Amino acid sequence: MEAGGEEFAIGVVISAKTTLGEEFEGQIVAFDRPSKLLVIHEGVGRAERGERRNVRVLKANYIREFSVVSKGDDPLDPAGCMLDLDAIYAREEAALRQAEIDAERIGVGVTPEAQSIFDALSKTLPVQWDKTDIVVMKEVRVRSPYMPENVSGGTAAANERVKKVIDFERKRLHARVPGLS
Amino acid sequence: MMSHQQHMAPPSRGSVNGFPHRKLEKESSGRHDNKTNLVRSSSGGLSGAENGIILGHGSHSRDRLIYVLTQLIGHHVDVHVKNGSIISGIFHATNSDKDFGVVLKMAQVIKDGSTKGQRYAADIIKKPETMIIPARELVQVFAKDVALGGDELPKGPGHDKRKDLLIDSAISRTHYLEERELERWAPDEGDSECIELEKYDRKGNRSWDQFETNAALFGVKSTFNEEIYTTKLERGPHMRELEKHASRIAREIEGEDTKDIHLAEERGLFLGDDLDHDEEIKYSAVRRDTDNSKYKSFTNVPSSTHHVDSFNRTVNIDPKDSLACSSTMGEESSSYTFDNTDSSAIIQANNVSQPKFDDPSNKPFSVGENRLDKKLSKDNNESLDNRKLQPENNLSAGVRPLISEGLDGPPSSSQPSSSGQGFKSPETPDSTVSVKPSVMEPMTSSQRPGSSTSSTSERIAANSVASAPGLSPSSSIGSLTSEKSTLNPNAKEFKLNPNAKSFTPSVSLRPPNPPASDASYYYPNNMPAAPLGPGLPVGMTFPPAYGGQPVMYNPQPGTPPQGYMHPAGPQVRKL
């Protein structure tokens, strides 16, 4: 672990390798010695308002080696670093909500095949996971191994429909990925 | 080299390297030595002196770090940890007081570095949960698409950051009021050829046949028969003359002086730069009453007193009312100025504001009157119709639609001269003659100053007289601007009956047309089979002189004029 502390100046563009085998290049935005955290953003120059960059916060002691590519100006505008906390919290909430929704769609402890059937069904039908069962339209239940025979419940019409969809989706999946049981 | 072991500073010291003590809290759970973690010395091994300097830097750099980390909140991040695992989740918090351990929500281990071979943890799907990564384990936090320069200005409702959905308020929000100098559009070079909307050949005839095109493109066979909608043009030997005559009249009319700004503009006459005339006045379809707010409707055919009286009729018409041909009466000059003194019923087909039709010489005898009378006298109808209409059916395009207008209006409207009834089919020659000139007038364009009208009417009168002695006045109506009457020459002659019953105007004045759209003359285009009532010469149709909207008159004998009520007009009690 190299000291490198003195060389981590703001604005310098470095190319580095980490002890975990990752390589990257970017411009130093900040370096906090006490915590040894080095902040790097990809791309050179100051980011405009709304411009997005990839950001790394890396503990400097995990840098195996690095080299200076170039020197540049301060990528942060000291006068312009405003934090809109409301926006930030709002963003966080939105992200959390979305993550929850996404999490619902993932079956826990289900096989990837089951997951793909679930995903295929969810394109046209409202589906939820109930442990390892797929529940369609809150009434029709599809159990493992998710064959048309395993469809039960619901009205006859709904049942039929789910059977058909499963059948169709399986065929589609097989056509695409032969061998996906 | 800075060790990453936590330094322990004696609690007694007020601060470690200038940093106040803080006890590490829950940040790193399960690590006993963490409990004794205090604030790391900023240098992590460097001398105090350096610390001091670094402190100075430190606070700045720490600020920056804190700024960046705060900007990360809510973003999806991947946290790399010491053992090579990668945890993915939503960045929730960091311990900025201490060493920046990280808290992620809805996090999952997506790459497990601990297991041999470091395979991805996709096989084991677990529910996402909140995870705390102690600083000790932390190697890297990687976030994509972070706006370090600050987010864009909030876009209002929904805070929609997507650029493709730009709502108006968003666009205008970022655009501060910049007035820009507007330039008139001019086509690019080489583009002008493409702008043709209509294809005209050299003669000005349209070379485009929609019916053909439709048949070719879509196989749609049209059943359109023009003759259903308009008078059949008799293209006989008289055709040329009629055409010429009609175009002459058309030219006359079009070249006329007018006070109406719309017409003037159309004709290219310069009315004088009236600064009051902003665009709205010039081009708006809204008609604003200037001073003549009286809506002149068809209610009473202004059978002018004189003429009426001359015929010994009892007319309960208020001479002041104007025969409103046009729906857009409102305008002062609009049309139907039934001038008491003049006793002229000027039927103006259009809503052009026209000066009153003061034509003492040829008082337009209420044409309508005549016609209306005709209507009333049932016997008259057919005969009259026949007689009147025929010669006129050659009205060419040059003939002002007005004619039809005029025809339409009065007849359908009130039957003013009740005395009309008195008019029996056979017209007295004198009445004919005397009436004719006046009859002519209303028919001709409203805008016509008396002179032209009269001349026309005279012509017409002459014609009619010549061609069809004893032609009813109504016949002349049809032939207003044409020398040949379209009236049926074989119709029974109209004879005024002074003792005819008086007539009270009834409803439905057919107001000629929706206003502004057709500049001056218009057809009541929504009345293909105008319920004009009896008396209207059958077959009196006016070829599209203007705007191409032919209307076929199909007066039904005996049918009281109804149907067309002027939307805004006063409703007259039906007889």
Side-chain angles (χ1 to χ4, degrees):
Chain A
M1 324 280 188
E2 304 182 5
E6 293 74 19
E7 295 177 22
F8 290 152
I10 292 167
V12 172
V13 181
I14 63 168
S15 165
K17 254 194 218 165
T18 71
T19 57
L20 296 180
E22 198 181 349
E23 291 184 37
F24 64 88
E25 184 174 316
Q27 187 176 28
I28 294 173
V29 174
F31 177 55
D32 183 54
R33 276 170 210 276
S35 58
K36 286 188 261 166
L37 286 174
L38 179 66
V39 181
I40 296 161
H41 73 155
E42 288 174 15
V44 184
R46 197 170 280 186
E48 322 234 328
R49 191 166 196 86
E51 185 187 342
R52 287 161 193 271
R53 305 274 186 92
N54 296 342
V55 171
R56 277 169 209 278
V57 180
L58 171 67
K59 246 215 207 134
N61 37 342
Y62 289 97
I63 296 178
R64 187 202 302 281
E65 61 188 60
F66 76 99
S67 55
V68 173
V69 172
S70 64
K71 291 208 165 107
D73 292 331
D74 186 355
L76 281 188
D77 176 10
C81 288
M82 305 297 169
L83 287 173
D84 181 354
L85 286 182
D86 290 332
I88 289 172
Y89 290 139
R91 176 179 64 207
E92 186 186 12
E93 273 182 56
L96 287 176
R97 256 182 279 128
Q98 188 56 42
E100 305 240 0
I101 294 171
D102 292 340
E104 293 281 317
R105 319 179 87 248
I106 312 279
V108 179
V110 296
T111 60
E113 183 215 15
Q115 186 61 52
S116 36
I117 290 184
F118 181 94
D119 291 338
L121 283 180
S122 74
K123 284 187 194 156
T124 51
L125 295 166
V127 281
Q128 301 167 272
W129 279 109
D130 180 8
K131 300 273 187 336
T132 57
D133 292 344
I134 301 177
V135 180
V136 185
M137 296 185 286
K138 296 203 166 88
E139 353 170 278
V140 182
R141 188 171 282 267
V142 190
R143 280 180 295 273
S144 180
Y146 316 103
M147 302 290 277
E149 307 86 72
N150 308 116
V151 177
S152 64
T155 63
N159 200 301
E160 266 312 301
R161 182 168 165 198
V162 174
K163 282 200 173 86
K164 279 207 175 58
V165 175
I166 287 199
D167 198 35
F168 180 74
E169 293 298 342
R170 279 187 162 273
K171 291 203 180 84
R172 221 163 47 94
L173 289 172
H174 286 208
R176 277 218 231 118
V177 188
L180 185 66
S181 150
Chain B
M1 175 52 214
M2 298 189 255
S3 82
H4 31 143
Q5 275 177 7
Q6 324 243 332
H7 286 235
M8 311 218 242
S12 56
R13 280 238 226 129
S15 67
V16 178
N17 290 333
F19 277 38
H21 266 189
R22 280 205 188 85
K23 283 221 186 280
L24 277 182
E25 285 137 11
K26 46 127 179 129
E27 183 223 331
S28 23
S29 49
R31 296 238 164 203
H32 67 276
D33 42 335
N34 285 345
K35 276 195 289 213
T36 53
N37 273 351
L38 294 173
V39 178
R40 285 161 157 275
S41 79
S42 51
S43 60
L46 294 178
S47 70
E50 271 186 26
N51 286 352
I53 299 171
I54 289 164
L55 269 185
H57 286 304
S59 59
H60 282 292
S61 55
R62 178 147 287 216
D63 287 346
R64 285 171 162 255
L65 179 62
I66 291 174
Y67 169 76
V68 173
L69 288 175
T70 312
Q71 285 284 19
L72 286 189
I73 293 177
H75 275 96
H76 278 268
V77 298
D78 285 348
V79 177
H80 300 233
V81 288
K82 213 162 58 164
N83 64 5
S85 304
I86 300 180
I87 302 161
S88 177
I90 296 174
F91 191 90
H92 175 67
T94 182
N95 195 331
S96 58
D97 285 345
K98 290 139 207 141
D99 47 7
F100 297 96
V102 164
V103 181
L104 297 184
K105 281 200 174 174
M106 301 299 285
Q108 284 174 309
V109 179
I110 58 172
K111 181 178 174 199
D112 199 335
S114 59
T115 58
K116 307 215 162 88
Q118 299 198 346
R119 59 166 198 266
Y120 277 83
D123 300 341
I124 307 157
I125 300 177
K126 291 209 288 199
K127 258 195 108 49
E129 52 190 359
T130 304
M131 288 191 171
I132 301 170
I133 294 113
R136 209 197 134 72
E137 307 289 323
L138 180 66
V139 173
Q140 176 183 235
V141 177
F142 180 70
K144 284 192 174 166
D145 298 330
V146 180
L148 279 185
D151 286 324
E152 285 163 10
L153 292 171
K155 290 202 175 176
H159 240 269
D160 204 326
K161 296 205 168 85
R162 293 200 300 253
K163 292 228 181 207
D164 49 326
L165 279 191
L166 276 185
I167 55 179
D168 277 353
S169 49
I171 296 174
S172 47
R173 201 192 314 270
T174 51
H175 235 277
Y176 263 72
L177 284 183
E178 314 163 359
E179 286 261 347
R180 37 182 197 149
E181 206 42 50
L182 298 176
E183 287 168 15
R184 195 193 179 130
W185 176 83
D188 295 335
E189 248 87 274
D191 269 359
S192 43
E193 288 80 17
C194 323
I195 306 192
E196 283 310 303
L197 281 181
E198 320 224 39
K199 294 187 200 164
Y200 284 91
D201 61 23
R202 268 172 298 123
K203 283 205 234 150
N205 300 322
R206 290 196 195 153
S207 64
W208 173 261
D209 185 343
Q210 187 64 54
F211 294 131
E212 259 174 42
T213 312
N214 283 350
L217 287 183
F218 311 112
V220 174
K221 193 161 182 310
S222 161
T223 55
F224 176 74
N225 174 10
E226 187 182 74
E227 288 163 14
I228 305 176
Y229 303 100
T230 183
T231 314
K232 183 168 154 60
L233 287 184
E234 285 184 5
R235 295 169 198 273
H238 297 300
M239 178 70 165
R240 285 209 79 88
E241 291 170 38
L242 291 174
E243 258 184 5
K244 272 197 258 162
H245 176 72
S247 5
R248 175 160 40 95
I249 297 174
R251 263 178 279 123
E252 251 178 67
I253 295 179
E254 279 167 359
E256 246 174 23
D257 239 356
T258 171
K259 292 253 173 350
D260 179 49
I261 44 177
H262 305 278
L263 282 180
E265 178 156 359
E266 212 164 278
R267 294 179 183 167
L269 307 172
F270 185 57
L271 269 194
D273 218 350
D274 195 336
L275 296 173
D276 277 351
H277 283 208
D278 63 4
E279 273 191 330
E280 196 200 352
I281 298 178
K282 281 204 266 175
Y283 303 118
S284 161
V286 177
R287 304 204 65 97
R288 305 221 175 268
D289 285 345
T290 34
D291 44 20
N292 210 352
S293 50
K294 229 194 318 178
Y295 171 75
K296 298 172 182 319
S297 72
F298 261 119
T299 50
N300 297 309
V301 170
S303 50
S304 176
T305 52
H306 300 260
H307 287 275
V308 175
D309 292 351
S310 67
F311 288 107
N312 266 348
R313 294 189 219 150
T314 344
V315 181
N316 5 335
I317 293 163
D318 174 11
K320 291 230 168 57
D321 288 355
S322 42
L323 195 62
C325 276
S326 97
S327 44
T328 58
M329 294 319 303
E331 289 287 332
E332 27 184 348
S333 44
S334 45
S335 50
Y336 319 89
T337 28
F338 270 86
D339 192 334
N340 206 358
T341 53
D342 300 341
S343 63
S344 50
I346 299 172
I347 301 161
Q348 288 199 357
N350 49 16
N351 39 7
V352 174
S353 14
Q354 277 310 309
K356 282 222 236 157
F357 221 108
D358 281 307
D359 186 8
S361 52
N362 277 322
K363 268 323 123 180
F365 175 83
S366 30
V367 179
E369 203 175 329
N370 272 336
R371 281 184 273 127
L372 287 168
D373 297 345
K374 309 279 187 311
K375 269 191 252 168
L376 291 175
S377 53
K378 309 198 177 173
D379 329 328
N380 284 351
N381 292 349
E382 278 97 0
S383 46
L384 278 177
D385 292 349
N386 298 338
R387 282 200 334 172
K388 291 180 234 171
L389 294 186
Q390 239 134 36
E392 245 187 50
N393 55 7
N394 287 339
L395 280 184
S396 63
V399 177
R400 276 306 154 90
L402 242 203
I403 301 177
S404 58
E405 270 319 319
L407 273 185
D408 271 358
S412 52
S413 66
S414 47
Q415 334 248 320
S417 31
S418 33
S419 44
Q421 289 200 350
F423 283 84
K424 301 227 178 85
S425 27
E427 314 152 355
T428 58
D430 8 300
S431 55
T432 306
V433 177
S434 56
V435 168
K436 245 186 284 170
S438 51
V439 167
M440 289 310 146
E441 283 194 38
M443 289 316 210
T444 27
S445 101
S446 41
Q447 296 131 340
R448 286 257 191 110
S451 51
S452 53
T453 309
S454 39
S455 62
T456 312
S457 51
E458 272 157 12
R459 267 199 314 273
I460 296 177
N463 256 0
S464 336
V465 172
S467 53
L471 259 188
S472 74
S474 1
S475 60
S476 46
I477 296 174
S479 57
L480 256 199
T481 52
S482 101
E483 276 164 352
K484 287 256 173 66
S485 168
T486 55
L487 301 179
N488 181 355
N490 301 324
K492 256 197 293 185
E493 194 179 299
F494 172 76
K495 290 225 172 13
L496 169 65
N497 176 8
N499 301 321
K501 236 187 339 179
S502 77
F503 171 74
T504 336
S506 71
V507 241
S508 62
L509 268 193
R510 244 182 70 249
N513 246 351
S517 40
D518 294 343
S520 42
Y521 311 93
Y522 50 88
Y523 275 103
N525 50 357
N526 46 357
M527 283 197 33
L532 291 178
L536 228 215
V538 182
M540 183 88 91
T541 60
F542 298 93
Y546 201 98
Q549 291 155 354
V551 173
M552 170 98 131
Y553 284 77
N554 275 327
Q556 286 128 33
T559 317
Q562 355 187 1
Y564 204 102
M565 310 265 225
H566 191 285
Q571 303 290 324
V572 183
R573 182 175 53 86
K574 207 158 73 134
L575 183 63

